[in-house]
């Protein structure tokens, strides 16, 4: 195997024995195989135009290959079968046979044969030129990340034909040997543009269904009684679970990226949504051991379960782990029954933290923010957030937040906020110095806030007293970065390390055009930004 798509790539190069994430070589090969099949499908999908079944499967297939989603080899093999059957249907509908090995793809009949095929379909087979291969990787990882956001939007009934056409066109393009470096640079930048549309769709889906988030204190302790812990990102899944657990004496807790759910009026109305347990995804093995109730993942980021909680762990949607019970559909009775069998959680009140500062909430007090900037009470804004991870070097983000002057405001989103969101930063004239915008899914809110502030001050976003200090881990962070680059945002600090799939020449392009750079130390970076 060779996999370098996440920040924890072994030795900063790539995992070639087993994934740091827990992915086994056979699973890596099957994911590469599925991606190859999606390219084959795309070649024919481009010819027939929009088809709901093909479009939906493309999203599911790409999301399946995102880091920490599906570790179950038989499930991925079943998706390969579905992909091939859809490709053959599309071929019949198109009424043509496209030349070339990719279009002629046919998976082996057995699992081992498919694994062997997948080993030949890895990223290093993508292109002989390392710079072109690097940009193809950026594009593919952008497509994977965007697929995750489209999946959430589709679950809530939102979609876009132009976006889906781009998925098929971009996947097909990766098989075209006539395309050069700048062709793929253009496609990567277009991926960022399309993702802006997707983020707007998802924001509309969330706020249209559950209302605009409002600043909400969230309890970090536990209440006496039965409990279910929900980890992941999907709000619709949480809503359905809340409906089914009403009046059953079960308290529901969020974990990881589910924390911002507490800010939505349509979800916080459920009184048994009582708090948040634990922190970011990489701490789950320790935290889940300490949670005696049932636990369910609805998206990434799952890790290898400890035996102490594996029998009360469930997966839903596209996330899966071997020998962990998977819930298909919307019936959560198995999770509920397990929660009722489990011991009670103790009465253990904890501190409260605030979430719910989406763009509607922040822009609702924009006049106060603008006045504070004009008066000098607020000197600078820092967007500190992104995907968290387990590898060393991420304490930088805690130190950075702690060492910022008290006349600065921190905007944060995604699970990177767990590095500092329990600290007390105080306020500036009643404006909290730490504003939790939400999930990585809510990057659209951060963009809207920045654009609105730029409009208020009559300048460009790059001219604002705003700096972006981003952490990345997996492919959703890649596509958000592409969106920021599409918008022309410069001077982004990225860490804790730069992606292993970016070659020196591609990095030089990013530095020259966007002044993107790696983090150094908290003190040095703060000094360089503030002077």
């Amino acid at each position: 195997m060779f996999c370098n798509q996440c920040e924890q790539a072994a030795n900063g190069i790539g995992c070639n024995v087993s994934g740091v994430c827990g992915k086994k070589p056979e699973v890596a090969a099957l994911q590469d195989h599925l991606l190859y099949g999606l390219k084959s499908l795309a070649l024919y999908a481009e010819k027939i135009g929009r088809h709901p079944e093909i479009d939906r499967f493309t999203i599911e297939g790409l999301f399946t290959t995102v880091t920490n989603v599906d570790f179950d080899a038989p499930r991925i093999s079943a998706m390969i079968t579905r992909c091939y059957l859809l490709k053959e249907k599309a071929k019949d509908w198109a009424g043509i046979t496209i030349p070339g090995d990719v279009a002629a793809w046919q998976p082996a009949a057995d699992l081992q044969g498919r694994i062997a095929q997948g080993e030949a379909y890895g990223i290093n087979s993508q292109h002989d030129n390392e710079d072109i291969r690097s940009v193809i990787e950026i594009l593919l990882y952008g497509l994977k990340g965007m697929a995750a956001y489209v999946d959430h939007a589709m679950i809530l009934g939102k979609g876009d034909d132009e976006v889906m056409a781009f998925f098929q066109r971009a996947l097909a393009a990766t098989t075209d040997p006539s395309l050069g470096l700048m062709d793929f640079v253009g496609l990567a930048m277009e991926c960022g543009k399309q993702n802006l549309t997707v983020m707007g769709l998802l924001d509309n889906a969330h706020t249209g269904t559950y209302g605009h988030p409002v600043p909400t204190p969230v309890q970090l302790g536990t209440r006496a009684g039965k409990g279910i812990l929900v980890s992941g990102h999907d709000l619709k899944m949480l809503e359905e679970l809340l409906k089914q657990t009403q009046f059953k004496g079960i308290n529901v807790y969020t974990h990881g990226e589910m924390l911002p759910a507490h800010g939505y009026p349509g979800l916080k109305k459920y009184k048994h949504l009582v708090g948040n347990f634990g922190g970011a995804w990489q701490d789950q093995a320790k935290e889940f051991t300490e949670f005696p109730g049932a636990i369910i993942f609805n998206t990434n980021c799952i890790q290898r379960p400890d035996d102490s909680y594996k029998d009360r762990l469930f997966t839903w949607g596209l996330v899966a782990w071997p020998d962990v019970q998977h819930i298909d559909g919307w019936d959560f009775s198995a999770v509920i029954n397990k929660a009722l069998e489990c011991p009670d959680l103790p009465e253990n009140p904890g501190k409260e933290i605030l979430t719910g500062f989406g763009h509607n909430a922040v822009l609702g007090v924009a006049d106060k923010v603008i006045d504070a900037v004009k008066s000098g009470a607020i000197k600078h804004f820092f967007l500190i957030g992104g995907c968290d991870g387990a590898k060393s070097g991420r304490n930088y983000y805690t130190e950075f937040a702690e060492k910022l002057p008290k006349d600065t405001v921190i905007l944060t989103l995604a699970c990177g906020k767990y590095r500092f969101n329990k600290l007390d930063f105080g306020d500036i004239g009643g404006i909290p110095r730490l504003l939790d915008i939400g999930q990585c899914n809510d990057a659209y809110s951060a963009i809207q806030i920045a654009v609105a502030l730029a409009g208020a001050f009559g300048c460009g976003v790059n001219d604002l007293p705003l700096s972006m200090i981003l952490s990345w881990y997996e492919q959703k962070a890649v596509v958000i970065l592409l969106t920021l680059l599409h918008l022309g945002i410069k001077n982004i600090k990225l860490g804790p390390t730069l992606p292993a799939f970016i070659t020196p020449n591609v990095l030089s392009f990013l530095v020259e055009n966007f002044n993107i750079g790696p983090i150094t130390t908290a003190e040095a970076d703060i000094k360089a930004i503030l002077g």
Side-chain angles (χ1 to χ4, degrees):
M1 69 175 287
F2 181 80
C3 182
N4 63 357
Q5 68 179 352
C6 87
E7 194 274 332
Q8 294 184 173
N11 301 313
I13 299 171
C15 298
N16 56 13
V17 177
S18 187
V20 173
C21 65
K23 182 167 57 178
K24 300 300 181 185
E26 59 269 22
V27 170
L30 289 169
Q31 290 184 350
D32 286 340
H33 191 157
L34 176 57
L35 183 59
Y36 189 88
L38 289 169
K39 296 176 186 179
S40 182
L41 174 60
L43 289 169
Y44 285 102
E46 263 210 299
K47 302 298 182 185
I48 65 172
R50 305 280 50 75
H51 187 278
E53 185 180 6
I54 290 176
D55 287 346
R56 191 71 186 92
F57 179 80
T58 298
I59 296 305
E60 292 178 357
L62 286 169
F63 195 1
T64 292
T65 68
V66 168
T67 303
N68 288 27
V69 175
D70 194 335
F71 294 80
D72 192 327
R75 281 178 59 88
I76 301 172
S77 182
M79 293 200 75
I80 291 171
T81 299
R82 286 177 59 198
C83 188
Y84 176 70
L85 293 176
L86 276 176
K87 190 264 287 191
E88 290 296 294
K89 284 183 181 180
K91 179 181 176 181
D92 289 341
W93 295 332
I96 59 172
T97 298
I98 298 173
D101 292 342
V102 181
W105 163 71
Q106 181 173 354
D110 65 310
L111 183 64
Q112 290 305 313
R114 293 179 178 193
I115 291 170
Q117 287 175 310
E119 290 170 351
Y121 297 150
I123 196 65
N124 286 331
S125 68
Q126 193 70 239
H127 203 284
D128 292 336
N129 182 293
E130 67 171 3
D131 292 329
I132 294 177
R133 185 168 64 245
S134 175
V135 182
I136 290 174
E137 283 194 78
I138 294 171
L139 172 61
L140 287 172
Y141 301 152
L143 292 173
K144 290 183 180 190
M146 184 162 62
Y149 298 133
V150 173
D151 183 68
H152 293 300
M154 282 183 161
I155 287 172
L156 289 170
K158 299 291 183 179
D160 185 277
D161 284 346
E162 184 181 341
V163 168
M164 291 313 309
F166 175 74
F167 272 107
Q168 306 299 356
R169 176 161 57 89
L171 283 168
T174 64
T175 73
D176 187 347
S178 71
L179 298 182
L181 180 65
M182 294 312 297
D183 294 308
F184 288 111
V185 169
L187 284 166
M189 295 300 290
E190 187 177 352
C191 185
K193 175 185 176 182
Q194 297 291 343
N195 188 59
L196 183 61
T197 298
V198 170
M199 301 302 283
L201 282 174
L202 185 55
D203 179 78
N204 182 260
H206 283 163
T207 59
T209 306
Y210 305 112
H212 283 281
V214 295
T216 303
V218 182
Q219 170 67 235
L220 299 182
T222 59
R223 290 188 186 176
K226 307 297 183 182
I228 296 176
L229 184 60
V230 183
S231 191
H233 302 77
D234 198 87
L235 301 185
K236 175 67 174 175
M237 177 265 152
L238 175 63
E239 178 192 27
E240 292 301 317
L241 179 67
L242 288 168
K243 289 178 180 178
Q244 294 175 38
T245 48
Q246 280 194 104
F247 315 119
K248 293 186 183 296
I250 298 174
N251 292 318
V252 177
Y253 300 82
T254 57
H255 176 268
E257 285 266 63
M258 294 303 297
L259 167 63
H262 292 271
Y264 287 91
L267 296 173
K268 64 184 294 185
K269 69 181 182 182
Y270 293 95
K271 302 306 180 186
H272 60 301
L273 179 62
V274 297
N276 187 80
F277 186 93
W281 65 271
Q282 74 273 6
D283 296 324
Q284 65 190 254
K286 175 180 181 295
E287 292 170 350
F288 290 1
T289 297
E290 298 169 353
F291 186 87
I295 305 161
I296 183 166
F297 270 95
N298 61 44
T299 58
N300 59 319
C301 302
I302 193 171
Q303 291 182 298
R304 182 179 65 82
D306 188 83
D307 288 341
S308 63
Y309 61 83
K310 191 174 182 180
D311 67 329
R312 48 194 172 86
L313 181 66
F314 298 82
T315 57
W316 176 87
L318 296 172
V319 65
W321 191 279
D323 302 321
V324 168
Q325 185 172 344
H326 188 80
I327 304 297
D328 289 308
W330 301 97
D331 181 0
F332 297 105
S333 56
V335 185
I336 293 168
N337 290 336
K338 176 57 71 172
L340 293 172
E341 295 171 2
C342 288
D344 287 4
L345 276 73
E347 185 69 27
N348 184 26
K351 72 175 295 183
E352 289 184 336
I353 59 174
L354 283 171
T355 191
F357 290 96
H359 60 89
N360 193 65
V362 174
L363 296 180
V365 294
D367 56 339
K368 295 180 180 178
V369 174
I370 293 166
D371 288 344
V373 174
K374 290 180 176 178
S375 71
I378 295 177
K379 291 289 198 307
H380 207 89
F381 296 90
F382 288 89
L383 176 60
I384 311 174
C387 298
D388 204 4
K391 202 166 73 173
S392 61
R394 292 180 179 266
N395 286 339
Y396 164 94
Y397 297 93
T398 310
E399 294 172 12
F400 194 100
E402 287 180 315
K403 292 178 178 179
L404 286 175
K406 295 190 183 301
D407 56 5
T408 60
V409 171
I410 301 167
L411 307 172
T412 191
L413 75 165
C415 60
K417 64 175 162 273
Y418 280 106
R419 292 286 168 174
F420 48 80
N421 70 337
K422 297 180 178 69
L423 303 176
D424 184 5
F425 291 96
D427 65 86
I428 300 175
I431 301 168
R433 285 193 58 228
L434 178 65
L435 302 176
D436 180 1
I437 297 171
Q439 301 177 328
C440 63
N441 297 7
D442 298 312
Y444 184 79
S445 270
I447 292 169
Q448 293 305 302
I449 292 168
V451 169
L453 288 175
F457 288 109
C459 65
V461 171
N462 290 315
D463 300 315
L464 286 171
L466 168 67
S467 300
M468 296 191 181
I469 316 296
L470 305 182
S471 59
W472 82 282
Y473 173 69
E474 41 92 320
Q475 297 77 62
K476 288 187 286 184
V478 173
V479 78
I480 290 173
L481 180 61
L482 289 177
T483 297
L484 295 175
L485 298 183
H486 156 71
L487 291 169
I489 295 174
K490 298 183 178 182
N491 304 314
I492 296 170
K493 289 286 187 182
L494 186 64
T497 60
L498 294 179
F501 49 81
I502 292 183
T503 61
N505 286 334
V506 174
L507 178 59
S508 294
F509 174 86
L510 293 173
V511 171
E512 180 180 342
N513 288 275
F514 301 99
N515 199 31
I516 192 170
I519 61 172
T520 59
T521 66
E523 295 90 342
D525 289 342
I526 292 171
K527 183 177 180 180
I529 292 167
L530 297 179

